[in-house]
Amino acid sequence: MSADFPIKVLLVDDQPIVGETVRQMLAAEPGVQYRFCPDPAAAIDAAVEFKPTVILQDLVMPDIDGLQLVKFFRAHPATRDVPLVVLSSKEEPTIKAKAFALGANDYMVKLPDKLEVIARVRYHSRGYIALLERNEAYRALAEKQRELAAEVNRAARYVRSLLPKPLTDGPVRIDWKFVPSTQLAGDMFGYHWIDPDHLAIYLLDVSGHGVGSALLAVSAANVIANHGLPGVDTRQPGPVLTKLNEMFQMDRQDEKYFTIWYGVYRPADRQLAYCNAGHPPAMLQGDGVTHELDADGPAVGMAPGMPYDTRTLSVPAGATLLVFSDGVFEVEKADGSMWAWSDFAEHIKSEIARGGEISDRLHKFIRELGNSEVLADDFSIVRAQF
């Protein structure tokens, strides 16, 4: 038996001779504790204090009906699951049936041979101790899960603390919306002035969910934000992604990779240079034309030695750029089908033309589209207005 849960036998019987007989039967048994309660009125209190693994209870006692005491044991939260063996002076099928109907686990005509008493005590205690050990394991698991959930919540708060403040003045205004899913995921984005003439904007999405994905996202974003790319001109998106691919090969990142869109805007001549490594196309809309700034290479970490190219285009005055993760458009609709990219693109075009709080409206729309308040993936979108 478990050292944490020894066998503990409580006998409730008004006859001291029965109490002494059972004591002698169990005295030589290793790991068995015994308590005798001659007063049925004190039986519940005795059980609560002693915490038996099996209760032996007489059915015929003064001042209380033995069957009524069975009901009391089963009604009390401390004893409702403890195996209960009723004792009777003779075989009575009707009484047996009533005892079992009220929750008794076993029936003995008192007193049987010592070997039988010991066998039944050990058998019922073994089952009850297994229940106690299972419950203890569940409690320990629940506590670990609470601790893990607290750690994940702290990690999520840390990730959110790294996100940039909206850019509210200068030649480019930038805001964003980030709504994490139920799991800690790997979306990360940012923007900063590389120098007075070049503004970098990026959004990356690490494969999978959990702490590992979030850590990789934070690491990659820190490298970009802190100019941790030796020998690379961060004003050139292609070389930036080429270096990131060299640094973050998936065989060194627990088989994780990430998609990324990285762009650099030069206000002096309104040129936007960008590179896309397996990421959803950013969308630039201005002068009534929408450009999908698509991928020209695989996700970072998947192809060693892959060179990434820089693409450029002119940005009309008043144009809007949206950069987002796949959680913004990969939505399972209420009918079970996936929202088509073409339908999403058309929806985005109309939203950009409408202006105002695009991100809030889009988030509300896809929740209604999927008939779900909580999305399956992170919702991350950055809007730049030129």
Side-chain angles (χ1 to χ4, degrees):
M1 289 297 171
S2 169
D4 294 333
F5 299 103
I7 293 177
K8 303 175 77 171
V9 181
L10 174 66
L11 171 63
V12 182
D13 195 301
D14 65 304
Q15 301 179 58
I17 190 172
V18 176
E20 178 60 19
T21 301
V22 173
R23 187 193 68 77
Q24 292 179 10
M25 287 180 176
L26 302 176
E29 291 300 305
V32 176
Q33 299 178 24
Y34 173 68
R35 176 76 61 87
F36 174 54
C37 178
D39 180 6
I44 298 295
D45 290 340
V48 171
E49 188 272 327
F50 184 54
K51 296 181 175 59
T53 59
V54 62
I55 298 171
L56 309 180
Q57 183 219 300
D58 191 15
L59 283 181
V60 181
M61 294 179 288
D63 303 325
I64 190 168
D65 179 4
L67 292 176
Q68 189 68 27
L69 184 56
V70 171
K71 291 178 64 176
F72 290 160
F73 274 127
R74 285 298 172 250
H76 198 285
T79 58
R80 64 163 59 104
D81 296 319
V82 179
L84 180 61
V85 181
V86 293
L87 308 175
S88 183
S89 58
K90 58 183 178 179
E91 286 277 0
E92 295 185 46
T94 302
I95 298 299
K96 270 188 180 182
K98 289 182 179 179
F100 286 131
L102 291 172
N105 300 87
D106 204 347
Y107 187 100
M108 286 195 297
V109 175
K110 63 177 185 183
L111 276 170
D113 185 82
K114 171 183 174 180
L115 290 177
E116 182 178 351
V117 172
I118 292 172
R120 295 199 191 208
V121 162
R122 289 193 175 277
Y123 170 76
H124 288 295
S125 291
R126 185 164 54 245
Y128 183 62
I129 288 172
L131 174 65
L132 294 177
E133 290 174 334
R134 185 197 68 186
N135 291 344
E136 184 63 28
Y138 283 163
R139 281 192 292 271
L141 177 61
E143 180 59 29
K144 290 295 183 184
Q145 289 175 330
R146 284 192 292 271
E147 292 175 0
L148 178 59
E151 288 294 330
V152 170
N153 287 335
R154 281 192 287 270
R157 289 196 298 271
Y158 170 69
V159 169
R160 193 173 185 90
S161 74
L162 300 177
L163 299 177
K165 295 180 179 180
L167 198 58
T168 58
D169 56 17
V172 184
R173 310 295 174 90
I174 303 179
D175 58 23
W176 51 265
K177 188 174 184 67
F178 172 66
V179 182
S181 67
T182 55
Q183 301 184 67
L184 187 63
D187 284 10
M188 181 58 66
F189 55 85
Y191 39 84
H192 61 272
W193 287 98
I194 300 171
D195 57 39
D197 300 316
H198 296 84
L199 174 69
I201 304 172
Y202 58 91
L203 193 152
L204 63 91
D205 183 4
V206 178
S207 59
H209 294 84
V211 174
S213 296
L215 288 175
L216 179 53
V218 170
S219 297
N222 280 337
V223 166
I224 297 170
N226 296 314
H227 308 287
L229 300 167
V232 174
D233 183 353
T234 53
R235 296 171 297 183
Q236 299 297 322
V240 168
L241 267 58
T242 299
K243 187 65 175 180
L244 288 172
N245 186 57
E246 176 187 319
M247 295 174 65
F248 292 99
Q249 278 297 299
M250 59 188 297
D251 61 354
R252 302 192 298 271
Q253 307 297 331
D254 194 27
E255 299 304 312
K256 295 186 181 298
Y257 58 88
F258 61 87
T259 65
I260 180 172
W261 189 95
Y262 180 90
V264 176
Y265 177 63
R266 190 169 60 208
D269 57 5
R270 308 193 66 82
Q271 290 296 299
L272 176 65
Y274 70 93
C275 187
N276 186 336
H279 201 75
M283 303 189 75
L284 178 71
Q285 185 165 312
D287 289 345
V289 178
T290 301
H291 300 274
E292 293 186 10
L293 311 186
D294 208 345
D296 54 6
V300 167
M302 297 188 71
M306 169 65 65
Y308 291 84
D309 298 326
T310 298
R311 298 181 182 182
T312 60
L313 79 165
S314 297
V315 178
T320 296
L321 173 71
L322 294 183
V323 188
F324 42 83
S325 63
D326 55 11
V328 170
F329 65 88
E330 288 186 350
V331 181
E332 183 177 345
K333 298 192 291 186
D335 63 5
S337 64
M338 296 301 295
W339 195 20
W341 170 263
S342 57
D343 293 338
F344 166 75
E346 287 301 315
H347 183 80
I348 284 295
K349 291 175 185 178
S350 64
E351 287 292 346
I352 294 175
R354 182 179 170 187
E357 297 296 332
I358 296 173
S359 301
D360 289 339
R361 293 199 306 269
L362 179 60
H363 183 245
K364 181 175 183 294
F365 179 82
I366 64 173
R367 283 185 296 146
E368 293 174 349
L369 188 69
N371 193 29
S372 175
E373 284 297 311
V374 179
L375 302 180
D377 202 355
D378 287 359
F379 179 101
S380 303
I381 185 167
V382 175
R383 177 179 66 163
Q385 295 178 289
F386 302 91

